[in-house]
Amino acid sequence: VNGEIYNHRDIRARLGLKYEFLTGSDCEVILALYKEKGIDFAIKIYIPEELPIDQCDLGIVVGNALDNAIEATEKSNFDTKKIEIIMGVKKESLVIVVKNPFEGSLRKDKDGNLLSTKDEFYKHGYGINSIIKVAEKYNGDVIIEEEERKFIIMITMNLKDL
């Protein structure tokens, strides 16, 4: 993804005294910008450099999960605003877990499908559906739970026989 955030050097220079940068990646400035907004991240990623998953598909899953987590966290009134991201390989599957603060309760339609909690919910929910489609492409699954005022999405994607 390096090279996608064109002004990352300017942002890095502006935030350099407030944030300890660990890499030269242009994407790391995103974490610093959210930290400035009061959102903290706990990130545990244990994956090999090479995965038999299309980068675009991985981007759809991680991007949509993070977009939803950030939006919900920004809207929350909790004192602690932390997003947890865990990625690893277990039993020949890529496992991605994203947890974020969540106020309210999950809404589902009569068939048990998750509905957006946003106003005009019928115009939203495409991100979760995109995650589900990619997980299914890799014979995986998506589990969404609400636990102790946290929204938790767990995505599995099969790495075997691809």
Side-chain angles (χ1 to χ4, degrees), residues 4-50:
E4 295 296 319
I5 303 171
Y6 301 107
N7 62 339
H8 73 96
R9 287 187 184 90
D10 296 334
I11 296 169
R12 185 180 295 270
R14 182 170 58 88
L15 298 174
L17 297 175
K18 300 178 196 172
Y19 183 85
E20 181 183 346
F21 290 96
L22 303 175
T23 72
S25 170
D26 61 339
C27 295
E28 190 177 8
V29 299
I30 294 169
L31 295 175
L33 289 169
Y34 281 111
K35 189 164 187 87
E36 198 173 48
K37 288 183 164 194
I39 298 176
D40 206 4
F41 288 83
I43 302 172
K44 296 177 185 176
I45 299 178
Y46 307 100
I47 59 172
E49 285 190 38
E50 303 269 333

Short mmCIF file of all heavy atoms in Angstrom, two decimals, residues 4-50:
data_model
loop_
_atom_site.label_atom_id
_atom_site.label_comp_id
_atom_site.label_asym_id
_atom_site.label_seq_id
_atom_site.Cartn_x
_atom_site.Cartn_y
_atom_site.Cartn_z
N GLU A 4 0.27 5.22 -1.43
CA GLU A 4 -1.13 5.58 -1.60
C GLU A 4 -1.50 6.88 -0.88
O GLU A 4 -2.39 7.59 -1.30
CB GLU A 4 -2.03 4.45 -1.11
CG GLU A 4 -1.91 3.17 -1.92
CD GLU A 4 -2.35 3.34 -3.36
OE1 GLU A 4 -3.36 4.01 -3.60
OE2 GLU A 4 -1.68 2.79 -4.25
N ILE A 5 -0.85 7.15 0.23
CA ILE A 5 -1.14 8.37 0.99
C ILE A 5 -0.05 9.37 0.64
O ILE A 5 1.05 9.35 1.18
CB ILE A 5 -1.21 8.08 2.51
CG1 ILE A 5 -2.26 7.00 2.77
CG2 ILE A 5 -1.50 9.36 3.30
CD1 ILE A 5 -2.28 6.47 4.16
N TYR A 6 -0.36 10.24 -0.30
CA TYR A 6 0.65 11.08 -0.92
C TYR A 6 1.27 12.11 0.01
O TYR A 6 2.41 12.49 -0.17
CB TYR A 6 0.06 11.75 -2.17
CG TYR A 6 -0.42 10.72 -3.16
CD1 TYR A 6 -1.76 10.48 -3.36
CD2 TYR A 6 0.50 9.95 -3.86
CE1 TYR A 6 -2.20 9.51 -4.24
CE2 TYR A 6 0.08 8.97 -4.74
CZ TYR A 6 -1.26 8.76 -4.93
OH TYR A 6 -1.68 7.79 -5.80
N ASN A 7 0.54 12.56 1.02
CA ASN A 7 1.09 13.57 1.93
C ASN A 7 1.54 12.96 3.25
O ASN A 7 1.62 13.65 4.26
CB ASN A 7 0.06 14.67 2.17
CG ASN A 7 -1.20 14.18 2.84
OD1 ASN A 7 -1.50 13.00 2.80
ND2 ASN A 7 -1.93 15.09 3.46
N HIS A 8 1.87 11.67 3.26
CA HIS A 8 2.22 11.00 4.51
C HIS A 8 3.47 11.59 5.16
O HIS A 8 3.57 11.64 6.37
CB HIS A 8 2.34 9.48 4.33
CG HIS A 8 3.55 9.04 3.59
ND1 HIS A 8 4.69 8.63 4.23
CD2 HIS A 8 3.79 8.92 2.26
CE1 HIS A 8 5.60 8.28 3.33
NE2 HIS A 8 5.07 8.45 2.14
N ARG A 9 4.42 12.12 4.37
CA ARG A 9 5.62 12.71 4.97
C ARG A 9 5.27 13.99 5.73
O ARG A 9 5.80 14.25 6.80
CB ARG A 9 6.67 12.97 3.89
CG ARG A 9 7.32 11.71 3.39
CD ARG A 9 8.49 11.98 2.44
NE ARG A 9 9.00 10.74 1.93
CZ ARG A 9 8.57 10.14 0.83
NH1 ARG A 9 7.61 10.67 0.10
NH2 ARG A 9 9.11 8.99 0.43
N ASP A 10 4.37 14.79 5.17
CA ASP A 10 3.94 16.01 5.85
C ASP A 10 3.21 15.68 7.14
O ASP A 10 3.43 16.31 8.18
CB ASP A 10 3.03 16.86 4.95
CG ASP A 10 3.75 17.37 3.71
OD1 ASP A 10 4.98 17.53 3.76
OD2 ASP A 10 3.06 17.62 2.70
N ILE A 11 2.32 14.70 7.09
CA ILE A 11 1.57 14.28 8.28
C ILE A 11 2.53 13.72 9.32
O ILE A 11 2.44 14.04 10.51
CB ILE A 11 0.49 13.23 7.92
CG1 ILE A 11 -0.56 13.86 6.99
CG2 ILE A 11 -0.16 12.67 9.17
CD1 ILE A 11 -1.50 12.85 6.36
N ARG A 12 3.48 12.91 8.88
CA ARG A 12 4.48 12.32 9.78
C ARG A 12 5.29 13.43 10.48
O ARG A 12 5.51 13.36 11.69
CB ARG A 12 5.41 11.40 8.99
CG ARG A 12 6.41 10.64 9.82
CD ARG A 12 7.27 9.76 8.92
NE ARG A 12 6.50 8.72 8.29
CZ ARG A 12 6.31 7.51 8.80
NH1 ARG A 12 6.85 7.21 9.95
NH2 ARG A 12 5.60 6.62 8.18
N ALA A 13 5.69 14.43 9.73
CA ALA A 13 6.46 15.54 10.32
C ALA A 13 5.61 16.31 11.34
O ALA A 13 6.09 16.68 12.41
CB ALA A 13 6.94 16.47 9.21
N ARG A 14 4.35 16.53 11.02
CA ARG A 14 3.46 17.27 11.92
C ARG A 14 3.18 16.51 13.21
O ARG A 14 3.09 17.10 14.29
CB ARG A 14 2.15 17.58 11.19
CG ARG A 14 1.15 18.39 12.01
CD ARG A 14 -0.03 18.88 11.19
NE ARG A 14 -0.78 17.84 10.53
CZ ARG A 14 -1.80 17.18 11.09
NH1 ARG A 14 -2.17 17.45 12.32
NH2 ARG A 14 -2.45 16.27 10.41
N LEU A 15 3.06 15.19 13.12
CA LEU A 15 2.70 14.38 14.28
C LEU A 15 3.89 13.72 14.97
O LEU A 15 3.73 13.06 15.99
CB LEU A 15 1.70 13.29 13.87
CG LEU A 15 0.37 13.78 13.33
CD1 LEU A 15 -0.45 12.60 12.83
CD2 LEU A 15 -0.39 14.56 14.37
N GLY A 16 5.09 13.90 14.42
CA GLY A 16 6.28 13.20 14.90
C GLY A 16 6.59 13.36 16.37
O GLY A 16 7.12 12.45 17.00
N LEU A 17 6.28 14.50 16.96
CA LEU A 17 6.56 14.70 18.38
C LEU A 17 5.51 14.07 19.28
O LEU A 17 5.75 13.80 20.45
CB LEU A 17 6.68 16.19 18.70
CG LEU A 17 7.82 16.93 17.98
CD1 LEU A 17 7.76 18.42 18.28
CD2 LEU A 17 9.17 16.34 18.38
N LYS A 18 4.31 13.84 18.75
CA LYS A 18 3.20 13.28 19.54
C LYS A 18 3.07 11.77 19.39
O LYS A 18 2.37 11.15 20.16
CB LYS A 18 1.87 13.91 19.09
CG LYS A 18 1.78 15.40 19.25
CD LYS A 18 0.44 15.87 18.72
CE LYS A 18 0.42 17.34 18.48
NZ LYS A 18 -0.80 17.74 17.81
N TYR A 19 3.69 11.20 18.37
CA TYR A 19 3.48 9.78 18.06
C TYR A 19 4.81 9.16 17.68
O TYR A 19 5.56 9.73 16.90
CB TYR A 19 2.49 9.67 16.90
CG TYR A 19 2.13 8.25 16.52
CD1 TYR A 19 1.10 7.58 17.19
CD2 TYR A 19 2.79 7.59 15.50
CE1 TYR A 19 0.77 6.28 16.84
CE2 TYR A 19 2.45 6.29 15.15
CZ TYR A 19 1.44 5.65 15.83
OH TYR A 19 1.11 4.36 15.49
N GLU A 20 5.09 7.99 18.22
CA GLU A 20 6.33 7.29 17.90
C GLU A 20 6.07 6.37 16.71
O GLU A 20 5.41 5.33 16.83
CB GLU A 20 6.80 6.47 19.10
CG GLU A 20 8.09 5.73 18.83
CD GLU A 20 8.52 4.86 20.01
OE1 GLU A 20 7.97 5.02 21.11
OE2 GLU A 20 9.40 4.02 19.79
N PHE A 21 6.57 6.76 15.56
CA PHE A 21 6.40 5.95 14.36
C PHE A 21 7.36 4.77 14.40
O PHE A 21 8.53 4.92 14.75
CB PHE A 21 6.62 6.80 13.10
CG PHE A 21 5.54 7.80 12.87
CD1 PHE A 21 5.67 9.11 13.30
CD2 PHE A 21 4.37 7.42 12.24
CE1 PHE A 21 4.66 10.03 13.09
CE2 PHE A 21 3.35 8.33 12.03
CZ PHE A 21 3.50 9.64 12.46
N LEU A 22 6.87 3.59 14.03
CA LEU A 22 7.67 2.37 14.11
C LEU A 22 8.16 1.89 12.75
O LEU A 22 9.08 1.08 12.68
CB LEU A 22 6.85 1.26 14.79
CG LEU A 22 6.33 1.59 16.20
CD1 LEU A 22 5.45 0.47 16.71
CD2 LEU A 22 7.49 1.84 17.15
N THR A 23 7.52 2.36 11.68
CA THR A 23 7.89 1.92 10.33
C THR A 23 7.97 3.14 9.41
O THR A 23 7.59 4.25 9.79
CB THR A 23 6.85 0.94 9.75
OG1 THR A 23 5.66 1.67 9.43
CG2 THR A 23 6.54 -0.18 10.70
N GLY A 24 8.41 2.89 8.21
CA GLY A 24 8.41 3.95 7.20
C GLY A 24 7.18 3.92 6.33
O GLY A 24 7.08 4.64 5.35
N SER A 25 6.21 3.08 6.67
CA SER A 25 5.01 2.91 5.86
C SER A 25 4.15 4.17 5.86
O SER A 25 3.96 4.81 6.89
CB SER A 25 4.18 1.73 6.40
OG SER A 25 2.91 1.70 5.79
N ASP A 26 3.62 4.49 4.69
CA ASP A 26 2.72 5.63 4.61
C ASP A 26 1.42 5.37 5.36
O ASP A 26 0.77 6.28 5.83
CB ASP A 26 2.43 6.00 3.15
CG ASP A 26 1.76 4.89 2.35
OD1 ASP A 26 1.85 3.72 2.76
OD2 ASP A 26 1.15 5.20 1.32
N CYS A 27 1.06 4.10 5.52
CA CYS A 27 -0.19 3.75 6.19
C CYS A 27 -0.13 3.99 7.70
O CYS A 27 -1.17 4.15 8.34
CB CYS A 27 -0.56 2.30 5.92
SG CYS A 27 -0.92 2.01 4.19
N GLU A 28 1.06 3.99 8.27
CA GLU A 28 1.17 4.16 9.72
C GLU A 28 0.65 5.53 10.18
O GLU A 28 0.20 5.66 11.31
CB GLU A 28 2.62 3.96 10.17
CG GLU A 28 2.74 3.88 11.67
CD GLU A 28 4.16 3.60 12.13
OE1 GLU A 28 5.09 3.62 11.31
OE2 GLU A 28 4.32 3.39 13.34
N VAL A 29 0.68 6.52 9.31
CA VAL A 29 0.17 7.83 9.71
C VAL A 29 -1.32 7.78 10.03
O VAL A 29 -1.81 8.59 10.80
CB VAL A 29 0.46 8.94 8.66
CG1 VAL A 29 1.95 9.12 8.45
CG2 VAL A 29 -0.27 8.69 7.35
N ILE A 30 -2.04 6.82 9.44
CA ILE A 30 -3.47 6.69 9.72
C ILE A 30 -3.69 6.42 11.21
O ILE A 30 -4.57 7.01 11.83
CB ILE A 30 -4.10 5.58 8.85
CG1 ILE A 30 -4.04 5.99 7.37
CG2 ILE A 30 -5.52 5.28 9.28
CD1 ILE A 30 -4.38 4.87 6.41
N LEU A 31 -2.89 5.53 11.78
CA LEU A 31 -3.01 5.23 13.21
C LEU A 31 -2.77 6.49 14.05
O LEU A 31 -3.48 6.74 15.02
CB LEU A 31 -2.03 4.13 13.62
CG LEU A 31 -2.26 2.77 13.00
CD1 LEU A 31 -1.14 1.81 13.39
CD2 LEU A 31 -3.61 2.21 13.39
N ALA A 32 -1.77 7.26 13.66
CA ALA A 32 -1.46 8.49 14.40
C ALA A 32 -2.62 9.49 14.32
O ALA A 32 -2.95 10.16 15.30
CB ALA A 32 -0.17 9.11 13.88
N LEU A 33 -3.24 9.60 13.15
CA LEU A 33 -4.36 10.53 12.99
C LEU A 33 -5.55 10.12 13.86
O LEU A 33 -6.21 10.97 14.47
CB LEU A 33 -4.78 10.61 11.52
CG LEU A 33 -3.79 11.33 10.60
CD1 LEU A 33 -4.17 11.11 9.14
CD2 LEU A 33 -3.72 12.81 10.92
N TYR A 34 -5.84 8.82 13.94
CA TYR A 34 -6.94 8.37 14.79
C TYR A 34 -6.60 8.49 16.26
O TYR A 34 -7.46 8.80 17.07
CB TYR A 34 -7.37 6.94 14.42
CG TYR A 34 -8.23 6.95 13.19
CD1 TYR A 34 -7.79 6.43 12.00
CD2 TYR A 34 -9.49 7.54 13.21
CE1 TYR A 34 -8.57 6.48 10.86
CE2 TYR A 34 -10.28 7.60 12.10
CZ TYR A 34 -9.82 7.06 10.91
OH TYR A 34 -10.60 7.12 9.79
N LYS A 35 -5.34 8.29 16.60
CA LYS A 35 -4.92 8.46 18.00
C LYS A 35 -5.15 9.93 18.41
O LYS A 35 -5.58 10.20 19.52
CB LYS A 35 -3.46 8.07 18.18
CG LYS A 35 -3.04 8.02 19.61
CD LYS A 35 -1.73 7.27 19.75
CE LYS A 35 -1.39 7.06 21.18
NZ LYS A 35 -1.96 5.88 21.75
N GLU A 36 -4.91 10.84 17.49
CA GLU A 36 -5.15 12.26 17.74
C GLU A 36 -6.64 12.52 18.01
O GLU A 36 -7.00 13.41 18.75
CB GLU A 36 -4.66 13.06 16.52
CG GLU A 36 -4.43 14.52 16.79
CD GLU A 36 -3.80 15.22 15.60
OE1 GLU A 36 -4.28 15.04 14.46
OE2 GLU A 36 -2.86 15.97 15.82
N LYS A 37 -7.53 11.71 17.42
CA LYS A 37 -8.97 11.82 17.63
C LYS A 37 -9.44 11.08 18.88
O LYS A 37 -10.62 11.01 19.16
CB LYS A 37 -9.74 11.25 16.43
CG LYS A 37 -9.69 12.09 15.20
CD LYS A 37 -10.54 11.43 14.14
CE LYS A 37 -10.85 12.40 13.03
NZ LYS A 37 -11.92 11.92 12.18
N GLY A 38 -8.50 10.44 19.59
CA GLY A 38 -8.85 9.72 20.81
C GLY A 38 -9.14 8.24 20.61
O GLY A 38 -9.59 7.56 21.53
N ILE A 39 -8.89 7.73 19.41
CA ILE A 39 -9.10 6.30 19.14
C ILE A 39 -7.76 5.59 19.22
O ILE A 39 -6.78 5.99 18.58
CB ILE A 39 -9.74 6.08 17.76
CG1 ILE A 39 -11.12 6.74 17.70
CG2 ILE A 39 -9.84 4.59 17.44
CD1 ILE A 39 -11.79 6.66 16.34
N ASP A 40 -7.73 4.55 20.01
CA ASP A 40 -6.51 3.75 20.17
C ASP A 40 -6.71 2.42 19.46
O ASP A 40 -7.84 1.96 19.31
CB ASP A 40 -6.25 3.53 21.66
CG ASP A 40 -4.79 3.31 21.96
OD1 ASP A 40 -3.97 3.40 21.03
OD2 ASP A 40 -4.46 3.06 23.13
N PHE A 41 -5.62 1.82 19.05
CA PHE A 41 -5.67 0.52 18.38
C PHE A 41 -4.80 -0.48 19.13
O PHE A 41 -3.70 -0.14 19.56
CB PHE A 41 -5.15 0.62 16.94
CG PHE A 41 -6.07 1.34 16.00
CD1 PHE A 41 -6.07 2.73 15.93
CD2 PHE A 41 -6.93 0.65 15.19
CE1 PHE A 41 -6.92 3.40 15.07
CE2 PHE A 41 -7.78 1.31 14.31
CZ PHE A 41 -7.78 2.68 14.26
N ALA A 42 -5.30 -1.68 19.29
CA ALA A 42 -4.52 -2.80 19.79
C ALA A 42 -4.44 -3.78 18.61
O ALA A 42 -5.46 -4.32 18.19
CB ALA A 42 -5.18 -3.45 20.99
N ILE A 43 -3.26 -3.96 18.08
CA ILE A 43 -3.10 -4.73 16.85
C ILE A 43 -2.18 -5.92 17.11
O ILE A 43 -1.07 -5.76 17.59
CB ILE A 43 -2.52 -3.85 15.72
CG1 ILE A 43 -3.44 -2.65 15.48
CG2 ILE A 43 -2.31 -4.67 14.46
CD1 ILE A 43 -2.87 -1.62 14.54
N LYS A 44 -2.68 -7.10 16.77
CA LYS A 44 -1.89 -8.34 16.85
C LYS A 44 -2.04 -9.04 15.52
O LYS A 44 -3.11 -9.57 15.21
CB LYS A 44 -2.39 -9.23 17.98
CG LYS A 44 -2.23 -8.61 19.36
CD LYS A 44 -2.82 -9.52 20.41
CE LYS A 44 -2.76 -8.83 21.77
NZ LYS A 44 -3.42 -9.64 22.81
N ILE A 45 -0.99 -9.03 14.72
CA ILE A 45 -1.04 -9.64 13.40
C ILE A 45 0.07 -10.68 13.30
O ILE A 45 1.25 -10.35 13.44
CB ILE A 45 -0.92 -8.59 12.28
CG1 ILE A 45 -2.08 -7.60 12.38
CG2 ILE A 45 -0.87 -9.26 10.91
CD1 ILE A 45 -2.06 -6.48 11.37
N TYR A 46 -0.34 -11.92 13.10
CA TYR A 46 0.57 -13.04 12.98
C TYR A 46 0.25 -13.80 11.70
O TYR A 46 -0.37 -14.85 11.73
CB TYR A 46 0.44 -13.98 14.19
CG TYR A 46 0.57 -13.28 15.52
CD1 TYR A 46 -0.56 -12.95 16.26
CD2 TYR A 46 1.81 -12.92 16.02
CE1 TYR A 46 -0.46 -12.30 17.48
CE2 TYR A 46 1.93 -12.26 17.24
CZ TYR A 46 0.79 -11.96 17.96
OH TYR A 46 0.90 -11.31 19.16
N ILE A 47 0.63 -13.21 10.59
CA ILE A 47 0.36 -13.87 9.31
C ILE A 47 1.65 -13.90 8.50
O ILE A 47 2.52 -13.04 8.64
CB ILE A 47 -0.77 -13.16 8.51
CG1 ILE A 47 -0.42 -11.70 8.24
CG2 ILE A 47 -2.09 -13.28 9.23
CD1 ILE A 47 -1.38 -11.01 7.31
N PRO A 48 1.77 -14.89 7.62
CA PRO A 48 2.95 -14.94 6.75
C PRO A 48 2.91 -13.80 5.72
O PRO A 48 1.84 -13.24 5.46
CB PRO A 48 2.84 -16.31 6.07
CG PRO A 48 1.41 -16.70 6.20
CD PRO A 48 0.87 -16.02 7.41
N GLU A 49 4.07 -13.48 5.19
CA GLU A 49 4.12 -12.40 4.18
C GLU A 49 3.33 -12.76 2.93
O GLU A 49 2.77 -11.88 2.29
CB GLU A 49 5.57 -12.09 3.82
CG GLU A 49 6.28 -11.30 4.90
CD GLU A 49 7.63 -10.79 4.44
OE1 GLU A 49 7.76 -10.39 3.26
OE2 GLU A 49 8.54 -10.79 5.27
N GLU A 50 3.31 -14.03 2.59
CA GLU A 50 2.59 -14.48 1.41
C GLU A 50 1.35 -15.27 1.83
O GLU A 50 1.44 -16.19 2.64
CB GLU A 50 3.49 -15.38 0.56
CG GLU A 50 4.78 -14.73 0.11
CD GLU A 50 4.66 -14.04 -1.22
OE1 GLU A 50 3.81 -14.47 -2.03
OE2 GLU A 50 5.41 -13.09 -1.46
#
